Amino acid sequence: MAAAEQQPPAVDGGKALSALLGGIAQAAYYGKADITEELLRGQLYPEAAPEEFRALRAKMGGLLQSIASADMDLNQLEAFLTAQTKKQGGITSDQAAVIAKFWKNHRVKIRESLVNQSCWDNVLKNMNWRVDLKSQSRHVDQINTPVAIVEMELGKYGQCSPWKAAR
């Protein structure tokens, strides 16, 4: 009973929790600095005490970070959320269902955001290589000496072209 009192009630069957997860994702993965904790609490859980909301936001943010950093597929997600529901101080099965639905709908966009955040300034766009052997030379010791030639094309971040299959 005490654990249920600590968590603010979800309005409209999980819509508030889904919106909270969306707000966390906007702030953490899409760079929306205007999505603040105060804004989320005021819009989604205005009746919750600041400490209660902070605890819920931290818990959901931690879960989302764990799920996103592992890039969990649906089987891994189900196992992870089941473990979280059985853990003392974990989440409810209703919250697990909301998280699973959210991840199913947002996995690709969050993964793309994480990949884009991890790219460096310059990226390798193309690479060609070959090995040449001299077959004729004035000096005998230079014949059959291999020479490797590597050509790399670098580009700026954001102009990444996907790797092409063998031509």
Side-chain angles (χ1 to χ4, degrees), residues 121-129 149-157 159-164 167:
D121 286 337
N122 289 324
V123 295
L124 181 63
K125 292 176 71 173
N126 192 12
M127 185 176 111
N128 294 311
W129 64 275
I149 299 174
V150 178
E151 178 184 305
M152 291 187 265
E153 181 183 348
L154 299 176
K156 290 290 183 192
Y157 171 73
Q159 299 172 344
C160 296
S161 61
W163 283 98
K164 296 178 182 170
R167 296 180 217 191

Side-chain angles (χ1 to χ4, degrees), residues 42-87:
Q43 294 284 321
L44 304 174
Y45 294 97
E47 73 285 349
E51 312 80 47
E52 291 174 355
F53 178 76
R54 197 170 294 119
L56 177 66
R57 190 204 170 286
K59 182 187 292 184
M60 293 303 145
L63 290 173
L64 190 57
Q65 182 178 11
S66 296
I67 293 166
S69 65
D71 192 25
M72 292 185 187
D73 63 26
L74 295 180
N75 292 331
Q76 293 170 321
L77 178 66
E78 184 179 342
F80 176 74
L81 292 176
T82 300
Q84 293 298 314
T85 59
K86 294 180 180 178
K87 197 165 108 174

Side-chain angles (χ1 to χ4, degrees), residues 89-127:
I91 59 174
T92 67
S93 55
D94 289 340
Q95 289 173 329
V98 171
I99 294 168
K101 184 177 179 183
F102 177 84
W103 183 245
K104 183 180 175 186
N105 292 332
H106 292 88
R107 177 182 182 195
V108 172
K109 285 177 64 178
I110 290 175
R111 183 183 184 288
E112 286 176 1
S113 174
L114 287 172
V115 168
N116 288 337
Q117 289 174 15
S118 67
C119 279
W120 295 337
D121 286 337
N122 289 324
V123 295
L124 181 63
K125 292 176 71 173
N126 192 12
M127 185 176 111

